[in-house]
Amino acid sequence: MAGNPGLEQLIPIVNKLQDAFTQLGVHMTLDLPQIAVVGGQSAGKSSVLENFVGRDFLPRGSGIVTRRPLILQLVNSNIEYAEFLHCKGKKFIDFDEVRREIETETDRVTGSNKGISSVPINLRVYSPNVLNLTLIDLPGLTKVPIGDQPVDIENQIRAMLLQFIKRESCLILAVTPANTDLANSDALKLSKEVDPQGIRTIGVITKLDLMDEGTDARDILENKLLPLRRGYVGVVNRSQKDIDGRKDIKMALAAERKFFFSHPSYRHLADRLGTPYLQRVLNQQLTNHIRDTLPGLRDKLQKQLLALEKDVDQFKHFRPDDPAVKTKAMLQLVQQLTTDFDRTIEGSGSAQINTNELSGGARINRLFHERFPFEIVKMEFDEKELRREIAFAIRNIHGIRVGLFTPDMAFEAIVKKQICRLKEPSLKCVDLVVNELSNVIRNCALKMSAYPRLKEEVERIVATQIRQREQKCKEQICLLVDCELAYMNTNHEDFIGFANAQSQSETSVKSGTHGALGNQVIRKGYMCIHNLGIMKGGSRDYWFVLTAESISWFKDEDEREKKYMLPLDGLKLRDVEQGMYFLF
Ligand code: GDP
Ligand code: MG
């Protein structure tokens, strides 16, 4: 037997995985190393597979006979029988019965209108004649739909073939008949699409016996014409006449051998041609291929296992069939969701704190304090343009009249325009926060995966709630901006306008300092001061002026003489606040 004996076990292990995944219905989620057989219709795909087994067991006929992928697992064994995964335990000794079972099982899924389906049939053949090998027989590439086959059958088949062979883990057995032009080979064209370098494609040339007299496929078989990394193997299968005449496969293999050894163009290559050689090559290549892909496969399996164990863990805590326990578990999940949500938004100092990424709350914090101010600053205005607008506004306000003063209305009109522009970044900020909240909920609800309907309902309710709040919040923001637009309080302390400029010059006269622009009057009035350490002799009313830099006391409003002046940076804010508290 060929192949590395230590590695012989690899193929059976992957076979087990293949069965497991087919039964779970998730066979596509793990890329098992495998060999897929592709080729045009009547290229000889089925014949090659049958020769491996040494039995006639595949459906034959005109049109698309193979309409579902057949995962054919060949297992070397002393006794010969076949077994299907869909009726496990039933041993098929008669291979005619195997063929009928494939036909029935194909029709069961595809219906009888000769449509196709990518749900595989798993067949395992135990035999002393086979080497451990797993192949997938796929529908042949076809051009013309027959009967009531769907009109796009060609595309359907192509799509199905691609679905298998596009995976890096799949070796492609590209079957091409020798009596057609290699450059036009359906199989090679398709494999080139997914394996342009020809790294994982193995070429098989059939029907070498049918070539025109005087021509041969030597160039191809010597890998000179369209080179593939893994080369080509030529075979001679039974002709239709042989099959009709019930020529058995043992005889066919002998005839094949004789053909190669007696053919002048192939004699020198004869020990690298023929079905037994192909079988050995495939066994070896698949084994090596599995060995190469094993580490990646292990990693993937390990990950899936961990994920599954996590799910199982959640089921372990209760018996899911007991309704009382179930209700309790669901309630717990809802409570869990609230705490999780709170923790992500409000933050926490617990040990479970995530050290890998920002929580929802921290993200929202960033939106408020980095993103939003940034958006505001980014809101550029062109000073030149602004001045031009002001000039227009002033002239339009004056109309035909000649103005004496700069009208307030011009200022208001321009400022209103600027205030209006705050709406957009503010509303955008709401959108971003809403988005973040939705993410948080989605993440928190993941723990409910064991109860998909509960999860769905919870997500729906929360989403509705968020949407309603979002609406309210946006209305509030618009209202706020509208308020600012409705009345412009130029008397506000933040406003460096006429009134403040005036009082500023007043204070600078009184305090003897030259009022810097920042030294604005924040408040003035009578204040009953009785708790400040400096005011010895009990409490009494003073007139005070609080500016951005200092606070001064006077006997009364009209008294020009300053009694006390304290710089603000020496005072604690609390003192000032207390003073104010007593005053008003
Ligand atoms: P598939 O559609 O690719 O599965 O092709 P089949 O294996 O069913 O073969 C189609 C036809 O070609 C059958 O009649 C086979 O007998 C015939 N055939 C396949 N390979 C060879 C070959 O190497 N030599 C000859 N003479 N006929 C072949
Ligand atoms: Mg076939």
Side-chain angles (χ1 to χ4, degrees), residues 14-30 32 34 68-69 71 73 85-86 105 118-123 136 164:
V14 173
N15 282 347
K16 270 191 196 162
L17 287 173
Q18 204 127 36
D19 282 358
F21 281 108
T22 302
Q23 271 175 324
L24 286 172
V26 290
H27 64 284
M28 306 311 293
T29 56
L30 198 70
L32 291 174
Q34 52 198 13
R68 280 176 65 180
I71 299 182
Q73 303 175 348
L85 184 65
H86 64 263
E105 182 58 21
S118 62
V119 179
I121 300 174
N122 288 32
L123 170 63
I136 306 179
F164 280 88

PDB file of all heavy atoms in Angstrom, residues 14-30 32 34 68-69 71 73 85-86 105 118-123 136 164:
ATOM      1  N   VAL A  14     -10.779  12.220   8.959  1.00  0.00           N
ATOM      2  CA  VAL A  14     -11.511  13.278   8.258  1.00  0.00           C
ATOM      3  C   VAL A  14     -12.859  12.750   7.780  1.00  0.00           C
ATOM      4  O   VAL A  14     -13.855  13.479   7.772  1.00  0.00           O
ATOM      5  CB  VAL A  14     -10.672  13.849   7.094  1.00  0.00           C
ATOM      6  CG1 VAL A  14     -11.480  14.820   6.265  1.00  0.00           C
ATOM      7  CG2 VAL A  14      -9.434  14.535   7.653  1.00  0.00           C
ATOM      8  N   ASN A  15     -12.919  11.443   7.393  1.00  0.00           N
ATOM      9  CA  ASN A  15     -14.204  10.859   7.007  1.00  0.00           C
ATOM     10  C   ASN A  15     -15.224  10.979   8.122  1.00  0.00           C
ATOM     11  O   ASN A  15     -16.388  11.322   7.899  1.00  0.00           O
ATOM     12  CB  ASN A  15     -14.027   9.369   6.666  1.00  0.00           C
ATOM     13  CG  ASN A  15     -13.428   9.183   5.292  1.00  0.00           C
ATOM     14  OD1 ASN A  15     -13.365  10.128   4.508  1.00  0.00           O
ATOM     15  ND2 ASN A  15     -12.983   7.978   4.999  1.00  0.00           N
ATOM     16  N   LYS A  16     -14.781  10.703   9.340  1.00  0.00           N
ATOM     17  CA  LYS A  16     -15.686  10.786  10.485  1.00  0.00           C
ATOM     18  C   LYS A  16     -16.220  12.197  10.627  1.00  0.00           C
ATOM     19  O   LYS A  16     -17.419  12.415  10.855  1.00  0.00           O
ATOM     20  CB  LYS A  16     -14.951  10.396  11.767  1.00  0.00           C
ATOM     21  CG  LYS A  16     -15.015   8.935  12.099  1.00  0.00           C
ATOM     22  CD  LYS A  16     -14.491   8.706  13.508  1.00  0.00           C
ATOM     23  CE  LYS A  16     -14.181   7.247  13.747  1.00  0.00           C
ATOM     24  NZ  LYS A  16     -13.309   7.050  14.898  1.00  0.00           N
ATOM     25  N   LEU A  17     -15.305  13.152  10.503  1.00  0.00           N
ATOM     26  CA  LEU A  17     -15.723  14.557  10.607  1.00  0.00           C
ATOM     27  C   LEU A  17     -16.735  14.890   9.522  1.00  0.00           C
ATOM     28  O   LEU A  17     -17.741  15.563   9.757  1.00  0.00           O
ATOM     29  CB  LEU A  17     -14.506  15.477  10.463  1.00  0.00           C
ATOM     30  CG  LEU A  17     -13.556  15.512  11.652  1.00  0.00           C
ATOM     31  CD1 LEU A  17     -12.325  16.321  11.323  1.00  0.00           C
ATOM     32  CD2 LEU A  17     -14.273  16.112  12.856  1.00  0.00           C
ATOM     33  N   GLN A  18     -16.430  14.397   8.313  1.00  0.00           N
ATOM     34  CA  GLN A  18     -17.316  14.670   7.179  1.00  0.00           C
ATOM     35  C   GLN A  18     -18.735  14.176   7.472  1.00  0.00           C
ATOM     36  O   GLN A  18     -19.708  14.891   7.241  1.00  0.00           O
ATOM     37  CB  GLN A  18     -16.767  13.937   5.971  1.00  0.00           C
ATOM     38  CG  GLN A  18     -17.192  14.534   4.672  1.00  0.00           C
ATOM     39  CD  GLN A  18     -15.999  14.814   3.788  1.00  0.00           C
ATOM     40  OE1 GLN A  18     -15.035  14.054   3.790  1.00  0.00           O
ATOM     41  NE2 GLN A  18     -16.048  15.883   3.051  1.00  0.00           N
ATOM     42  N   ASP A  19     -18.841  12.963   7.994  1.00  0.00           N
ATOM     43  CA  ASP A  19     -20.157  12.411   8.327  1.00  0.00           C
ATOM     44  C   ASP A  19     -20.833  13.252   9.404  1.00  0.00           C
ATOM     45  O   ASP A  19     -22.015  13.582   9.305  1.00  0.00           O
ATOM     46  CB  ASP A  19     -20.031  10.977   8.827  1.00  0.00           C
ATOM     47  CG  ASP A  19     -19.821  10.002   7.677  1.00  0.00           C
ATOM     48  OD1 ASP A  19     -19.810  10.478   6.527  1.00  0.00           O
ATOM     49  OD2 ASP A  19     -19.678   8.800   7.939  1.00  0.00           O
ATOM     50  N   ALA A  20     -20.050  13.595  10.422  1.00  0.00           N
ATOM     51  CA  ALA A  20     -20.621  14.354  11.526  1.00  0.00           C
ATOM     52  C   ALA A  20     -21.199  15.663  11.011  1.00  0.00           C
ATOM     53  O   ALA A  20     -22.319  16.038  11.362  1.00  0.00           O
ATOM     54  CB  ALA A  20     -19.552  14.632  12.578  1.00  0.00           C
ATOM     55  N   PHE A  21     -20.463  16.335  10.158  1.00  0.00           N
ATOM     56  CA  PHE A  21     -20.937  17.641   9.693  1.00  0.00           C
ATOM     57  C   PHE A  21     -22.119  17.506   8.751  1.00  0.00           C
ATOM     58  O   PHE A  21     -23.015  18.339   8.762  1.00  0.00           O
ATOM     59  CB  PHE A  21     -19.802  18.422   9.048  1.00  0.00           C
ATOM     60  CG  PHE A  21     -18.918  19.054  10.073  1.00  0.00           C
ATOM     61  CD1 PHE A  21     -17.643  18.581  10.304  1.00  0.00           C
ATOM     62  CD2 PHE A  21     -19.391  20.109  10.832  1.00  0.00           C
ATOM     63  CE1 PHE A  21     -16.843  19.158  11.278  1.00  0.00           C
ATOM     64  CE2 PHE A  21     -18.597  20.688  11.799  1.00  0.00           C
ATOM     65  CZ  PHE A  21     -17.318  20.205  12.023  1.00  0.00           C
ATOM     66  N   THR A  22     -22.139  16.440   7.935  1.00  0.00           N
ATOM     67  CA  THR A  22     -23.286  16.241   7.049  1.00  0.00           C
ATOM     68  C   THR A  22     -24.542  16.018   7.889  1.00  0.00           C
ATOM     69  O   THR A  22     -25.604  16.578   7.624  1.00  0.00           O
ATOM     70  CB  THR A  22     -23.067  15.049   6.120  1.00  0.00           C
ATOM     71  OG1 THR A  22     -21.893  15.283   5.364  1.00  0.00           O
ATOM     72  CG2 THR A  22     -24.245  14.857   5.182  1.00  0.00           C
ATOM     73  N   GLN A  23     -24.397  15.198   8.955  1.00  0.00           N
ATOM     74  CA  GLN A  23     -25.561  14.893   9.777  1.00  0.00           C
ATOM     75  C   GLN A  23     -26.075  16.120  10.509  1.00  0.00           C
ATOM     76  O   GLN A  23     -27.263  16.283  10.718  1.00  0.00           O
ATOM     77  CB  GLN A  23     -25.219  13.797  10.780  1.00  0.00           C
ATOM     78  CG  GLN A  23     -25.488  12.427  10.198  1.00  0.00           C
ATOM     79  CD  GLN A  23     -25.049  11.337  11.137  1.00  0.00           C
ATOM     80  OE1 GLN A  23     -24.053  11.469  11.830  1.00  0.00           O
ATOM     81  NE2 GLN A  23     -25.791  10.255  11.142  1.00  0.00           N
ATOM     82  N   LEU A  24     -25.155  16.992  10.892  1.00  0.00           N
ATOM     83  CA  LEU A  24     -25.577  18.202  11.592  1.00  0.00           C
ATOM     84  C   LEU A  24     -26.176  19.212  10.639  1.00  0.00           C
ATOM     85  O   LEU A  24     -26.780  20.183  11.055  1.00  0.00           O
ATOM     86  CB  LEU A  24     -24.371  18.842  12.282  1.00  0.00           C
ATOM     87  CG  LEU A  24     -23.866  18.131  13.527  1.00  0.00           C
ATOM     88  CD1 LEU A  24     -22.578  18.757  13.986  1.00  0.00           C
ATOM     89  CD2 LEU A  24     -24.914  18.205  14.622  1.00  0.00           C
ATOM     90  N   GLY A  25     -25.984  18.969   9.341  1.00  0.00           N
ATOM     91  CA  GLY A  25     -26.487  19.924   8.370  1.00  0.00           C
ATOM     92  C   GLY A  25     -25.637  21.181   8.311  1.00  0.00           C
ATOM     93  O   GLY A  25     -26.067  22.202   7.834  1.00  0.00           O
ATOM     94  N   VAL A  26     -24.446  21.112   8.863  1.00  0.00           N
ATOM     95  CA  VAL A  26     -23.585  22.292   8.797  1.00  0.00           C
ATOM     96  C   VAL A  26     -22.282  21.944   8.068  1.00  0.00           C
ATOM     97  O   VAL A  26     -21.245  22.446   8.389  1.00  0.00           O
ATOM     98  CB  VAL A  26     -23.239  22.836  10.204  1.00  0.00           C
ATOM     99  CG1 VAL A  26     -24.430  23.449  10.839  1.00  0.00           C
ATOM    100  CG2 VAL A  26     -22.670  21.730  11.069  1.00  0.00           C
ATOM    101  N   HIS A  27     -22.427  21.056   7.079  1.00  0.00           N
ATOM    102  CA  HIS A  27     -21.208  20.559   6.448  1.00  0.00           C
ATOM    103  C   HIS A  27     -20.390  21.664   5.799  1.00  0.00           C
ATOM    104  O   HIS A  27     -19.224  21.500   5.538  1.00  0.00           O
ATOM    105  CB  HIS A  27     -21.546  19.496   5.411  1.00  0.00           C
ATOM    106  CG  HIS A  27     -22.346  20.023   4.261  1.00  0.00           C
ATOM    107  ND1 HIS A  27     -23.673  20.296   4.367  1.00  0.00           N
ATOM    108  CD2 HIS A  27     -21.983  20.366   3.010  1.00  0.00           C
ATOM    109  CE1 HIS A  27     -24.108  20.772   3.215  1.00  0.00           C
ATOM    110  NE2 HIS A  27     -23.115  20.827   2.387  1.00  0.00           N
ATOM    111  N   MET A  28     -21.015  22.810   5.529  1.00  0.00           N
ATOM    112  CA  MET A  28     -20.277  23.862   4.851  1.00  0.00           C
ATOM    113  C   MET A  28     -19.470  24.743   5.810  1.00  0.00           C
ATOM    114  O   MET A  28     -18.684  25.545   5.375  1.00  0.00           O
ATOM    115  CB  MET A  28     -21.215  24.771   4.055  1.00  0.00           C
ATOM    116  CG  MET A  28     -22.124  24.067   3.078  1.00  0.00           C
ATOM    117  SD  MET A  28     -21.278  22.908   2.014  1.00  0.00           S
ATOM    118  CE  MET A  28     -20.300  24.047   1.051  1.00  0.00           C
ATOM    119  N   THR A  29     -19.681  24.582   7.104  1.00  0.00           N
ATOM    120  CA  THR A  29     -19.047  25.528   8.007  1.00  0.00           C
ATOM    121  C   THR A  29     -17.578  25.196   8.273  1.00  0.00           C
ATOM    122  O   THR A  29     -16.835  26.049   8.675  1.00  0.00           O
ATOM    123  CB  THR A  29     -19.773  25.591   9.360  1.00  0.00           C
ATOM    124  OG1 THR A  29     -19.796  24.276   9.883  1.00  0.00           O
ATOM    125  CG2 THR A  29     -21.166  26.142   9.217  1.00  0.00           C
ATOM    126  N   LEU A  30     -17.205  23.953   8.059  1.00  0.00           N
ATOM    127  CA  LEU A  30     -15.809  23.613   8.290  1.00  0.00           C
ATOM    128  C   LEU A  30     -15.221  23.140   6.962  1.00  0.00           C
ATOM    129  O   LEU A  30     -15.769  22.278   6.316  1.00  0.00           O
ATOM    130  CB  LEU A  30     -15.718  22.512   9.340  1.00  0.00           C
ATOM    131  CG  LEU A  30     -14.359  22.365   9.971  1.00  0.00           C
ATOM    132  CD1 LEU A  30     -14.062  23.542  10.864  1.00  0.00           C
ATOM    133  CD2 LEU A  30     -14.283  21.087  10.743  1.00  0.00           C
ATOM    134  N   LEU A  32     -13.281  20.929   5.282  1.00  0.00           N
ATOM    135  CA  LEU A  32     -12.517  19.694   5.404  1.00  0.00           C
ATOM    136  C   LEU A  32     -11.701  19.500   4.135  1.00  0.00           C
ATOM    137  O   LEU A  32     -12.150  19.801   3.046  1.00  0.00           O
ATOM    138  CB  LEU A  32     -13.472  18.515   5.595  1.00  0.00           C
ATOM    139  CG  LEU A  32     -14.208  18.483   6.922  1.00  0.00           C
ATOM    140  CD1 LEU A  32     -15.217  17.352   6.921  1.00  0.00           C
ATOM    141  CD2 LEU A  32     -13.219  18.315   8.059  1.00  0.00           C
ATOM    142  N   GLN A  34     -10.549  17.764   1.027  1.00  0.00           N
ATOM    143  CA  GLN A  34     -11.252  16.775   0.224  1.00  0.00           C
ATOM    144  C   GLN A  34     -10.856  16.900  -1.237  1.00  0.00           C
ATOM    145  O   GLN A  34     -10.197  17.853  -1.628  1.00  0.00           O
ATOM    146  CB  GLN A  34     -12.765  16.957   0.383  1.00  0.00           C
ATOM    147  CG  GLN A  34     -13.215  18.377   0.128  1.00  0.00           C
ATOM    148  CD  GLN A  34     -14.608  18.655   0.690  1.00  0.00           C
ATOM    149  OE1 GLN A  34     -15.128  17.878   1.457  1.00  0.00           O
ATOM    150  NE2 GLN A  34     -15.185  19.764   0.286  1.00  0.00           N
ATOM    151  N   ARG A  68     -26.785  15.347  -7.200  1.00  0.00           N
ATOM    152  CA  ARG A  68     -26.419  15.794  -5.854  1.00  0.00           C
ATOM    153  C   ARG A  68     -24.962  15.416  -5.634  1.00  0.00           C
ATOM    154  O   ARG A  68     -24.516  14.403  -6.180  1.00  0.00           O
ATOM    155  CB  ARG A  68     -27.280  15.062  -4.798  1.00  0.00           C
ATOM    156  CG  ARG A  68     -28.668  15.633  -4.620  1.00  0.00           C
ATOM    157  CD  ARG A  68     -29.485  14.794  -3.648  1.00  0.00           C
ATOM    158  NE  ARG A  68     -28.946  14.812  -2.284  1.00  0.00           N
ATOM    159  CZ  ARG A  68     -29.507  14.138  -1.273  1.00  0.00           C
ATOM    160  NH1 ARG A  68     -30.597  13.424  -1.474  1.00  0.00           N
ATOM    161  NH2 ARG A  68     -28.987  14.194  -0.073  1.00  0.00           N
ATOM    162  N   PRO A  69     -24.225  16.180  -4.862  1.00  0.00           N
ATOM    163  CA  PRO A  69     -22.845  15.776  -4.598  1.00  0.00           C
ATOM    164  C   PRO A  69     -22.854  14.416  -3.914  1.00  0.00           C
ATOM    165  O   PRO A  69     -23.671  14.178  -3.018  1.00  0.00           O
ATOM    166  CB  PRO A  69     -22.330  16.850  -3.635  1.00  0.00           C
ATOM    167  CG  PRO A  69     -23.277  17.997  -3.771  1.00  0.00           C
ATOM    168  CD  PRO A  69     -24.592  17.423  -4.163  1.00  0.00           C
ATOM    169  N   ILE A  71     -20.542  12.210  -1.688  1.00  0.00           N
ATOM    170  CA  ILE A  71     -19.285  12.111  -0.943  1.00  0.00           C
ATOM    171  C   ILE A  71     -18.962  10.639  -0.805  1.00  0.00           C
ATOM    172  O   ILE A  71     -19.636   9.902  -0.090  1.00  0.00           O
ATOM    173  CB  ILE A  71     -19.399  12.799   0.434  1.00  0.00           C
ATOM    174  CG1 ILE A  71     -19.703  14.284   0.233  1.00  0.00           C
ATOM    175  CG2 ILE A  71     -18.097  12.614   1.209  1.00  0.00           C
ATOM    176  CD1 ILE A  71     -19.790  15.081   1.522  1.00  0.00           C
ATOM    177  N   GLN A  73     -16.632   7.830   0.279  1.00  0.00           N
ATOM    178  CA  GLN A  73     -15.503   7.518   1.154  1.00  0.00           C
ATOM    179  C   GLN A  73     -15.067   6.086   0.911  1.00  0.00           C
ATOM    180  O   GLN A  73     -15.821   5.155   1.160  1.00  0.00           O
ATOM    181  CB  GLN A  73     -15.913   7.699   2.622  1.00  0.00           C
ATOM    182  CG  GLN A  73     -16.421   9.097   2.915  1.00  0.00           C
ATOM    183  CD  GLN A  73     -16.947   9.233   4.332  1.00  0.00           C
ATOM    184  OE1 GLN A  73     -17.140   8.245   5.041  1.00  0.00           O
ATOM    185  NE2 GLN A  73     -17.183  10.469   4.740  1.00  0.00           N
ATOM    186  N   LEU A  85     -24.859   7.050   4.745  1.00  0.00           N
ATOM    187  CA  LEU A  85     -25.030   7.755   6.015  1.00  0.00           C
ATOM    188  C   LEU A  85     -26.517   7.920   6.343  1.00  0.00           C
ATOM    189  O   LEU A  85     -26.918   7.889   7.495  1.00  0.00           O
ATOM    190  CB  LEU A  85     -24.361   9.131   5.930  1.00  0.00           C
ATOM    191  CG  LEU A  85     -24.359   9.955   7.200  1.00  0.00           C
ATOM    192  CD1 LEU A  85     -23.523   9.272   8.269  1.00  0.00           C
ATOM    193  CD2 LEU A  85     -23.822  11.360   6.945  1.00  0.00           C
ATOM    194  N   HIS A  86     -27.346   8.084   5.294  1.00  0.00           N
ATOM    195  CA  HIS A  86     -28.776   8.315   5.548  1.00  0.00           C
ATOM    196  C   HIS A  86     -29.521   7.035   5.933  1.00  0.00           C
ATOM    197  O   HIS A  86     -30.686   7.104   6.321  1.00  0.00           O
ATOM    198  CB  HIS A  86     -29.446   9.030   4.360  1.00  0.00           C
ATOM    199  CG  HIS A  86     -29.453   8.209   3.102  1.00  0.00           C
ATOM    200  ND1 HIS A  86     -28.509   8.360   2.124  1.00  0.00           N
ATOM    201  CD2 HIS A  86     -30.277   7.230   2.682  1.00  0.00           C
ATOM    202  CE1 HIS A  86     -28.760   7.521   1.146  1.00  0.00           C
ATOM    203  NE2 HIS A  86     -29.828   6.817   1.460  1.00  0.00           N
ATOM    204  N   GLU A 105     -32.432   8.302  -3.456  1.00  0.00           N
ATOM    205  CA  GLU A 105     -32.055   9.361  -2.522  1.00  0.00           C
ATOM    206  C   GLU A 105     -31.874  10.698  -3.257  1.00  0.00           C
ATOM    207  O   GLU A 105     -32.206  11.758  -2.722  1.00  0.00           O
ATOM    208  CB  GLU A 105     -30.779   8.946  -1.777  1.00  0.00           C
ATOM    209  CG  GLU A 105     -30.273   9.915  -0.739  1.00  0.00           C
ATOM    210  CD  GLU A 105     -31.272  10.251   0.362  1.00  0.00           C
ATOM    211  OE1 GLU A 105     -32.216   9.479   0.583  1.00  0.00           O
ATOM    212  OE2 GLU A 105     -31.104  11.318   0.982  1.00  0.00           O
ATOM    213  N   SER A 118     -27.492  20.807  -3.611  1.00  0.00           N
ATOM    214  CA  SER A 118     -26.119  20.708  -3.092  1.00  0.00           C
ATOM    215  C   SER A 118     -26.048  19.945  -1.778  1.00  0.00           C
ATOM    216  O   SER A 118     -25.002  19.870  -1.148  1.00  0.00           O
ATOM    217  CB  SER A 118     -25.498  22.092  -2.928  1.00  0.00           C
ATOM    218  OG  SER A 118     -26.252  22.830  -2.001  1.00  0.00           O
ATOM    219  N   VAL A 119     -27.192  19.357  -1.368  1.00  0.00           N
ATOM    220  CA  VAL A 119     -27.159  18.517  -0.157  1.00  0.00           C
ATOM    221  C   VAL A 119     -26.503  17.190  -0.526  1.00  0.00           C
ATOM    222  O   VAL A 119     -26.996  16.468  -1.388  1.00  0.00           O
ATOM    223  CB  VAL A 119     -28.591  18.252   0.358  1.00  0.00           C
ATOM    224  CG1 VAL A 119     -28.556  17.380   1.590  1.00  0.00           C
ATOM    225  CG2 VAL A 119     -29.288  19.565   0.628  1.00  0.00           C
ATOM    226  N   PRO A 120     -25.392  16.868   0.107  1.00  0.00           N
ATOM    227  CA  PRO A 120     -24.658  15.686  -0.350  1.00  0.00           C
ATOM    228  C   PRO A 120     -25.266  14.371   0.096  1.00  0.00           C
ATOM    229  O   PRO A 120     -25.995  14.309   1.072  1.00  0.00           O
ATOM    230  CB  PRO A 120     -23.270  15.880   0.262  1.00  0.00           C
ATOM    231  CG  PRO A 120     -23.459  16.780   1.419  1.00  0.00           C
ATOM    232  CD  PRO A 120     -24.705  17.577   1.191  1.00  0.00           C
ATOM    233  N   ILE A 121     -24.960  13.329  -0.658  1.00  0.00           N
ATOM    234  CA  ILE A 121     -25.235  11.952  -0.245  1.00  0.00           C
ATOM    235  C   ILE A 121     -23.895  11.391   0.206  1.00  0.00           C
ATOM    236  O   ILE A 121     -22.897  11.529  -0.496  1.00  0.00           O
ATOM    237  CB  ILE A 121     -25.762  11.110  -1.429  1.00  0.00           C
ATOM    238  CG1 ILE A 121     -27.061  11.695  -1.979  1.00  0.00           C
ATOM    239  CG2 ILE A 121     -25.937   9.649  -1.010  1.00  0.00           C
ATOM    240  CD1 ILE A 121     -27.556  10.999  -3.242  1.00  0.00           C
ATOM    241  N   ASN A 122     -23.872  10.810   1.414  1.00  0.00           N
ATOM    242  CA  ASN A 122     -22.607  10.233   1.889  1.00  0.00           C
ATOM    243  C   ASN A 122     -22.636   8.719   1.725  1.00  0.00           C
ATOM    244  O   ASN A 122     -23.487   8.053   2.317  1.00  0.00           O
ATOM    245  CB  ASN A 122     -22.385  10.576   3.365  1.00  0.00           C
ATOM    246  CG  ASN A 122     -22.043  12.039   3.567  1.00  0.00           C
ATOM    247  OD1 ASN A 122     -22.503  12.892   2.818  1.00  0.00           O
ATOM    248  ND2 ASN A 122     -21.230  12.321   4.560  1.00  0.00           N
ATOM    249  N   LEU A 123     -21.704   8.233   0.939  1.00  0.00           N
ATOM    250  CA  LEU A 123     -21.619   6.788   0.707  1.00  0.00           C
ATOM    251  C   LEU A 123     -20.228   6.308   1.114  1.00  0.00           C
ATOM    252  O   LEU A 123     -19.226   6.919   0.737  1.00  0.00           O
ATOM    253  CB  LEU A 123     -21.860   6.487  -0.780  1.00  0.00           C
ATOM    254  CG  LEU A 123     -21.581   5.054  -1.241  1.00  0.00           C
ATOM    255  CD1 LEU A 123     -22.497   4.057  -0.553  1.00  0.00           C
ATOM    256  CD2 LEU A 123     -21.738   4.951  -2.761  1.00  0.00           C
ATOM    257  N   ILE A 136     -15.454  13.568  -3.981  1.00  0.00           N
ATOM    258  CA  ILE A 136     -16.815  14.059  -4.135  1.00  0.00           C
ATOM    259  C   ILE A 136     -17.156  14.076  -5.616  1.00  0.00           C
ATOM    260  O   ILE A 136     -16.523  14.778  -6.396  1.00  0.00           O
ATOM    261  CB  ILE A 136     -16.963  15.473  -3.552  1.00  0.00           C
ATOM    262  CG1 ILE A 136     -16.476  15.474  -2.110  1.00  0.00           C
ATOM    263  CG2 ILE A 136     -18.412  15.935  -3.633  1.00  0.00           C
ATOM    264  CD1 ILE A 136     -16.551  16.811  -1.455  1.00  0.00           C
ATOM    265  N   PHE A 164     -17.895  24.170  -3.915  1.00  0.00           N
ATOM    266  CA  PHE A 164     -16.973  23.168  -3.375  1.00  0.00           C
ATOM    267  C   PHE A 164     -15.521  23.523  -3.669  1.00  0.00           C
ATOM    268  O   PHE A 164     -14.676  23.498  -2.786  1.00  0.00           O
ATOM    269  CB  PHE A 164     -17.292  21.779  -3.952  1.00  0.00           C
ATOM    270  CG  PHE A 164     -18.445  21.112  -3.273  1.00  0.00           C
ATOM    271  CD1 PHE A 164     -19.749  21.320  -3.694  1.00  0.00           C
ATOM    272  CD2 PHE A 164     -18.218  20.282  -2.194  1.00  0.00           C
ATOM    273  CE1 PHE A 164     -20.816  20.716  -3.056  1.00  0.00           C
ATOM    274  CE2 PHE A 164     -19.275  19.661  -1.545  1.00  0.00           C
ATOM    275  CZ  PHE A 164     -20.583  19.885  -1.977  1.00  0.00           C
TER     276      PHE A 164
END
